[in-house]
Amino acid sequence: MTDQLLSIILADTYTLKSTRQRFNLLKAMLLSRLFGGKEFDPSLYDRNDLAWLNSLGEPFYQNFTKENIYQLFAELENKVKSLPQLVIYTAFDPGEEEIRQIGSWIRTNLTAIKLFDLKLDPNLIAGAALTYQGVYKDLSLRSRIEEKKQEILADFSNYLR
Amino acid sequence: MPWLPINPINLILLLVSLSLAALYLRRYYLRKSSSKQEEKYLEEAREKAYDLLNKSYQKSQNVIGVAELEGIKMAAESRLSTNKLEEELLTQLKATINQSQQSIQEVTDRVQSSILASEQQFRDHLTELQIKGEQVEAANLQVIQEQTNKLFEGFETKLSDFLIQTEQKTTQTIELELRSTRELIETYKEQQLSLIDENIIAVMERTLSIVLGKKLSLKEHVELVYEALEKAKAEKFIA
């Protein structure tokens, strides 16, 4: 059941950051719905996250009860932590659409990866650098320039001499 | 006033005085050494002395009178002789003066002529000196001219040598400076090129970062990310 719930949650969620945000949103909404108390305030949350929440539907909410809500969320969080971690460093700040495109590509082509983390590094110039299982690999334009450094210098020296 | 010659009057007076003095002294000694008798003797002697004195006085008066007469006579005689002498002397003096004047005149004439002669000699001598001086001056000028010419020639030669040496040294120094400056420039050039080599990649990266950041679209960026992920997959970096 946890896997099923997780796959529904992650259907339109690609990054770790948005997963945490949506977990918090879902939990706040369900706790308010199940226990009352502090009223759920949608204005505190991102519009896209709210749209995702609404898209889950009533059948999804009914999986959570007063008895299992905390346990389920704990299991869901543990599941997320156990997933392979990929960190992508980019030279630009991608929007939601770009994140969706990258996430779709990853889930299609790199089936082991369900979620990834995005970080900004302008020094990469273009392309991306990756960290996977604690190993960093620079596949950006910067690393390509470093690889071709001697060739580039030889080309420049032709102009200078 | 002419001096009177030594006359007997004074001698007589002198003798009289001496005798009186002797007598007095005798009496004094007699008085001294004797007693009453001596006093008597003295008295007698005194009386005798007084008597003698009187006589002497009278004699001396006589002598004085005679002497005065003689003196007057002699004075008159001497005055006469003095006058004669004066006249003679005057005559002689005039004669002497005339002679002296003549001789002075002669001497003056002689001196004048000798002075004229000396003056002429002196003028001649001066003329000679002037001529000689002009000759010496001309000779000195000639010598100075020759020495000056020699000095200038020597100076010219030395100056020319000095200038040539200076030129050579300056040229050498300049060449050395140029060489060292060229070497410095080459070294600087090499250093700058090596600096450029070290930093060109960083400059290029920075330039690309600035340029591509503005020129690449989001789609192109995403495609480049796809390329990186594909490469990671191909290299089996991601399982």
Side-chain angles (χ1 to χ4, degrees):
Chain A
M1 180 177 161
T2 313
D3 292 337
Q4 198 179 355
L5 289 173
L6 187 61
S7 61
I8 292 170
I9 288 167
L10 296 183
D12 197 27
T13 308
Y14 300 98
T15 64
L16 282 165
K17 181 182 166 189
S18 62
T19 305
R20 278 193 285 272
Q21 282 173 347
R22 286 179 180 184
F23 269 7
N24 291 336
L25 171 62
L26 181 62
K27 194 172 181 179
M29 189 279 286
L30 288 170
L31 285 172
S32 171
R33 187 179 162 133
L34 290 170
F35 298 104
K38 192 175 171 187
E39 196 175 329
F40 174 68
D41 185 5
S43 66
L44 297 174
Y45 300 95
D46 183 66
R47 191 180 52 178
N48 292 325
D49 291 339
L50 286 170
W52 166 81
L53 186 67
N54 291 330
S55 72
L56 291 172
E58 193 60 39
F60 180 80
Y61 302 147
Q62 285 173 1
N63 289 309
F64 296 89
T65 62
K66 287 182 187 178
E67 290 77 25
N68 69 3
I69 184 167
Y70 290 109
Q71 187 187 343
L72 273 176
F73 270 104
E75 284 174 10
L76 283 168
E77 280 163 13
N78 287 334
K79 279 276 184 189
V80 166
K81 278 181 193 171
S82 69
L83 288 173
Q85 304 279 334
L86 175 65
V87 180
I88 302 175
Y89 298 88
T90 60
F92 69 106
D93 191 13
E96 285 295 323
E97 183 54 35
E98 287 76 39
I99 292 171
R100 190 173 294 114
Q101 287 173 4
I102 292 168
S104 299
W105 191 97
I106 288 172
R107 284 180 185 173
T108 308
N109 295 286
L110 302 169
T111 50
I113 306 298
K114 299 293 179 208
L115 291 172
F116 58 92
D117 206 357
L118 271 173
K119 291 191 179 173
L120 181 64
D121 184 1
N123 294 327
L124 296 175
I125 306 172
L130 308 172
T131 300
Y132 182 67
Q133 291 181 334
V135 178
Y136 177 85
K137 191 162 180 72
D138 190 351
L139 296 163
S140 66
L141 182 58
R142 181 179 69 183
S143 72
R144 282 195 234 170
I145 291 170
E146 281 298 316
E147 283 168 19
K148 305 279 181 188
K149 183 175 174 179
Q150 294 305 321
E151 212 175 302
I152 293 165
L153 281 173
D155 259 347
F156 273 128
S157 63
N158 288 336
Y159 286 105
L160 291 173
R161 298 277 187 271
Chain B
M1 188 172 168
W3 289 100
L4 292 175
I6 297 170
N7 54 14
I9 301 165
N10 289 333
L11 282 170
I12 293 166
L13 283 171
L14 185 65
L15 284 169
V16 167
S17 304
L18 283 173
S19 62
L20 286 172
L23 281 167
Y24 180 75
L25 283 169
R26 185 169 171 265
R27 283 191 65 182
Y28 176 75
Y29 282 117
L30 280 172
R31 201 188 323 153
K32 222 176 166 183
S33 58
S34 62
S35 57
K36 281 185 182 176
Q37 181 129 18
E38 284 176 2
E39 282 181 7
K40 189 181 169 187
Y41 285 139
L42 279 172
E43 192 64 36
E44 287 177 3
R46 198 178 288 124
E47 284 177 3
K48 280 183 185 173
Y50 282 145
D51 191 32
L52 199 61
L53 266 171
N54 278 331
K55 284 181 185 173
S56 298
Y57 181 71
Q58 280 174 5
K59 273 187 185 171
S60 68
Q61 287 291 326
N62 289 335
V63 166
I64 288 166
V66 166
E68 279 180 1
L69 283 171
E70 286 293 320
I72 290 164
K73 211 191 281 182
M74 280 184 82
E77 282 175 3
S78 71
R79 204 175 293 124
L80 194 68
S81 66
T82 302
N83 285 340
K84 272 188 192 173
L85 198 61
E86 275 181 10
E87 282 173 7
E88 280 177 16
L89 280 172
L90 197 66
T91 312
Q92 279 180 6
L93 190 64
K94 279 182 184 173
T96 309
I97 286 168
N98 285 337
Q99 270 182 359
S100 300
Q101 277 180 350
Q102 278 174 7
S103 61
I104 284 168
Q105 188 63 42
E106 283 171 16
V107 167
T108 306
D109 291 341
R110 261 188 265 141
V111 165
Q112 203 163 356
S113 64
S114 73
I115 285 171
L116 285 170
S118 300
E119 198 181 326
Q120 186 58 40
Q121 272 183 1
F122 184 66
R123 279 208 191 100
D124 294 340
H125 184 63
L126 276 177
T127 311
E128 263 181 52
L129 281 175
Q130 192 174 355
I131 293 166
K132 278 186 184 169
E134 284 169 1
Q135 286 172 355
V136 166
E137 193 182 337
N140 284 343
L141 275 172
Q142 181 71 26
V143 167
I144 288 167
Q145 190 75 30
E146 286 167 8
Q147 281 182 351
T148 308
N149 288 339
K150 270 189 201 169
L151 194 69
F152 272 118
E153 282 166 15
F155 174 71
E156 209 175 312
T157 310
K158 283 182 184 167
L159 182 66
S160 161
D161 291 341
F162 174 72
L163 286 172
I164 290 166
Q165 280 178 14
T166 308
E167 189 189 342
Q168 284 172 352
K169 280 183 187 169
T170 309
T171 310
Q172 279 174 7
T173 311
I174 290 169
E175 279 172 6
L176 276 171
E177 281 294 319
L178 274 173
R179 202 177 303 145
S180 71
T181 307
R182 281 196 198 107
E183 283 170 10
L184 207 66
I185 290 168
E186 278 302 314
T187 311
Y188 177 73
K189 200 170 139 188
E190 293 296 325
Q191 282 175 355
Q192 288 302 305
L193 284 172
S194 68
L195 267 176
I196 289 170
D197 286 347
E198 284 167 22
N199 294 309
I200 191 75
I201 299 297
V203 166
M204 207 177 77
E205 287 173 3
R206 183 76 187 125
T207 308
L208 284 171
S209 171
I210 293 167
V211 169
L212 291 178
K214 291 180 182 152
K215 291 290 181 191
L216 288 177
S217 64
L218 282 172
K219 186 180 172 190
E220 283 161 344
H221 272 295
V222 169
E223 281 174 8
L224 287 169
V225 171
Y226 292 157
E227 275 184 36
L229 289 167
E230 274 176 11
K231 194 174 175 188
K233 183 181 173 183
E235 291 175 7
K236 295 189 182 357
F237 177 68
I238 301 170

